Amino acid sequence: MDIANRDAWPIIYHKIGRQCQAYPYTCIEAKKPQNKALNRYRDVNPYDHSRIVLKRCEQDYINANLVRMDRANRKYILTQGPLAFTVGHFWLMVWEQNSRAILMLNKIIEKNEIKCHWYWPHEVGAEQKFVLSDVKLNVEQISEEDCKYYITRVFRITDIESSESREVIQFHYTTWPDFGVPTSPVAFLEFLRRVRDSGALAPDVGPPIVHCSAGIGRSGTFCLVDSCLVIIEKEGLESVNVQEILLEMRKDRMGLIQTPGQLRFSYQAIIEGAKRFSPDFKEDQNNMEESIYSSVAEEEAPPPPPRAESLTRAPVRPLPAIPTSASLGNLNYTCSAESSSSDEGAPTPPARDHSPCPSQSPSPSPSPTRSHTSPASSADDEDDEPPPAPIVESCSEVVETVRRRRTRELAERVSGMKKRARHHERWTTLKRSLYTPLTITFGFILAGILIYTYVKH
């Protein structure tokens, strides 16, 4: 409350960043020439002392760190979204670390950019399985469940040499924007509860694999909230200092929590989770499901800053509003009431691009409960005759036509983005496959020219 009243979220966030700049940890392995191409972002590298080392692979490097939080008895492996040529490394890490869950907090394509390679089989069944001969593993998808704002998938990983197999569950959060926050603290906490109930975070199994695009922003937010809630359950609410816990986690992987908005959301989710995860908490199930499964349109966001530079630069514009917490209200008191939303009702849909119906007049102000208002009276309503029915029907037809058109355009746009992504991946693979032979050929030609010139003269 003190941070919110002082509007000090950017100040606190950059104070944490300055403290981390004094850390003495190195990233020597990540910067070696043979490993540079294995990093999705050149300014997000794993620390040497906590990096995951692959055992049965020619290259033991992968952009991943083991993050420990001993007070919470938690371990997480935070990593980047796999590249096209690191998919085998990713699954080998899952196998060697005995991980039982993968927490994917990003979409494949965001803002027309590829944020992660599609690293799992596209369909259920043995005929669609991945055969990763370079790491001697097979990956088969055996089930998939759509849970509205996240998807769960179950994979079977099989060691080709020993025929040993193991099942791994993937929790894919599909509505968390890059450099942003989830649409609702309630939805995020229900996602966290589902992950916990699966046993994926238990200390008797390998650490879960947590990734987004860079493996620091959304991934760091998830781990910070989960660890703080465990400590609250064990030691009480007053025992938690969120900033100190974040600084401790950043000793294992750089840059966890990428924006002041993600830090603010972490506080709000921790406070809300301390209430919801309490044994005494009760809430109407219908209201909770309505707030979780409400559809939310993606908002246009400015181009994201460079990954590591966002840790030291001040934000270029005010922080966006975060959905209201059901227990403590909105922590951002500087925002107007219209800019906040509620967990108890569905978010307001985007405005349509067509004119309002003749039988309705636009409401003078948005209603937080989205209640329907009666049609406004016109100047010649003295005879109290209702509007002609055909007008209302024509309005409904217009609305339905626009809705279908938008749905069709969205589907076409998504299809085009996927085609461009596949074309880009194929072109990248082709360039990498031709690089070595072309380099060798050019070297032989140059050497032949030099030898010929030397002999001739």
Side-chain angles (χ1 to χ4, degrees):
M1 290 297 186
D2 176 63
I3 299 174
N5 285 328
R6 294 186 290 114
D7 195 21
W9 294 108
I11 297 174
I12 298 297
Y13 176 76
H14 291 295
K15 174 186 174 183
I16 294 172
R18 288 192 298 272
Q19 290 178 273
C20 294
Q21 290 176 0
Y23 287 167
Y25 309 121
T26 61
C27 303
I28 297 174
E29 287 295 325
K31 296 179 180 179
K32 289 183 176 180
Q34 66 270 27
N35 294 333
K36 280 185 177 181
L38 304 180
N39 300 317
R40 178 171 290 275
Y41 301 101
R42 64 175 179 272
D43 53 354
V44 180
N45 298 314
Y47 288 138
D48 293 318
H49 72 277
S50 60
R51 75 179 183 94
I52 298 298
V53 179
L54 301 177
K55 298 186 176 79
R56 66 177 200 198
C57 189
E58 292 182 3
Q59 287 181 302
D60 68 0
Y61 176 81
I62 185 172
N63 191 313
N65 289 104
L66 177 64
V67 177
R68 302 172 182 268
M69 181 47 58
D70 293 334
R71 285 181 63 190
N73 195 23
R74 284 283 202 257
K75 295 180 182 179
Y76 315 90
I77 294 177
L78 273 68
T79 185
Q80 65 183 15
L83 298 162
F85 44 88
T86 64
V87 170
H89 301 164
F90 178 86
W91 284 110
L92 180 60
M93 176 176 65
V94 174
W95 177 263
E96 291 184 342
Q97 298 298 321
N98 195 29
S99 301
R100 298 306 169 92
I102 300 169
L103 311 184
M104 180 178 179
L105 307 178
N106 63 292
K107 292 186 287 187
I108 295 294
I109 299 176
E110 296 172 335
K111 302 300 179 185
N112 296 326
E113 293 185 7
I114 300 174
K115 298 294 183 176
C116 175
H117 185 74
W118 195 308
Y119 58 86
W120 64 91
H122 291 249
E123 300 290 341
V124 175
E127 63 278 2
Q128 297 290 333
K129 69 180 179 181
F130 278 4
V131 179
L132 307 171
S133 55
D134 56 333
V135 294
K136 299 179 177 59
L137 292 175
N138 290 337
V139 180
E140 175 189 348
Q141 182 178 173
I142 59 178
S143 69
E144 179 175 305
E145 178 186 3
D146 189 349
C147 302
K148 303 295 184 182
Y149 65 100
Y150 68 93
I151 299 172
T152 62
R153 304 180 181 93
V154 178
F155 304 110
R156 180 181 293 113
I157 312 176
T158 304
D159 187 332
I160 296 176
E161 292 184 338
S162 65
S163 299
E164 179 186 356
S165 64
R166 189 184 306 152
E167 289 189 0
V168 175
I169 183 170
Q170 181 201 51
F171 294 91
H172 185 186
Y173 205 123
T174 57
T175 57
W176 191 340
D178 194 17
F179 285 95
V181 297
T183 56
S184 163
V186 179
F188 172 78
L189 291 169
E190 279 303 308
F191 176 79
L192 174 57
R193 186 193 297 274
R194 178 74 184 274
V195 174
R196 287 184 171 187
D197 291 345
S198 72
L201 304 178
D204 57 342
V205 297
I209 309 296
V210 187
H211 80 85
C212 43
S213 182
I216 58 176
R218 289 169 279 190
S219 301
T221 303
F222 177 91
C223 297
L224 177 63
V225 173
D226 177 56
S227 292
C228 287
L229 288 176
V230 173
I231 295 173
I232 289 173
E233 293 169 7
K234 293 173 59 178
E235 304 176 12
L237 186 62
E238 300 299 326
S239 65
V240 170
N241 185 313
V242 178
Q243 297 175 42
E244 289 182 358
I245 294 175
L246 177 56
L247 286 169
E248 184 68 23
M249 297 178 75
R250 282 194 177 191
K251 291 180 179 179
D252 288 328
R253 185 164 176 84
M254 64 166 59
L256 302 186
I257 308 286
Q258 278 194 276
T259 67
Q262 289 178 348
L263 179 63
R264 183 181 60 181
F265 179 85
S266 298
Y267 270 81
Q268 193 174 26
I270 291 166
I271 296 170
E272 182 73 18
K275 171 188 173 183
R276 289 181 174 270
F277 288 1
S278 169
D280 300 328
F281 176 75
K282 293 181 181 180
E283 184 184 36
D284 181 68
Q285 186 69 17
N286 293 330
N287 289 339
M288 183 179 69
E289 290 184 356
E290 180 182 359
S291 66
I292 292 174
Y293 297 129
S294 300
S295 60
V296 179
E298 285 192 14
E299 299 179 356
E300 289 297 323
R307 297 279 161 177
E309 291 182 12
S310 65
L311 309 180
T312 56
R313 290 184 178 178
V316 296
R317 71 177 192 177
L319 297 177
I322 282 182
T324 306
S325 168
S327 59
L328 293 179
N330 197 342
L331 297 183
N332 182 13
Y333 296 115
T334 59
C335 295
S336 62
E338 290 81 359
S339 65
S340 63
S341 58
S342 171
D343 285 332
E344 302 303 325
T348 304
R352 300 184 182 275
D353 57 359
H354 58 79
S355 58
C357 296
S359 62
Q360 294 179 329
S361 63
S363 176
S365 61
S367 171
T369 59
R370 299 184 64 198
S371 60
H372 295 283
T373 57
S374 59
S377 300
S378 61
D380 55 355
D381 267 348
E382 296 179 0
D383 55 355
D384 293 329
E385 291 185 2
I391 296 179
V392 177
E393 292 176 358
S394 63
C395 289
S396 301
E397 292 174 359
V398 170
V399 171
E400 182 64 20
T401 300
V402 172
R403 187 189 65 80
R404 288 197 298 266
R405 177 173 59 83
R406 286 194 167 188
T407 301
R408 184 173 62 254
E409 290 176 352
L410 178 61
E412 292 174 353
R413 187 162 63 250
V414 171
S415 177
M417 290 164 55
K418 290 182 177 180
K419 289 181 180 178
R420 290 194 297 272
R422 288 194 295 268
H423 177 74
H424 176 75
E425 291 172 2
R426 287 196 296 267
W427 176 240
T428 301
T429 303
L430 178 62
K431 287 193 296 184
R432 293 186 179 276
S433 63
L434 293 176
Y435 177 79
T436 301
L438 287 177
T439 302
I440 295 174
T441 303
F442 180 77
F444 276 114
I445 293 174
L446 182 60
I449 293 174
L450 293 176
I451 293 172
Y452 174 78
T453 304
Y454 177 79
V455 171
K456 184 176 180 180
H457 295 283

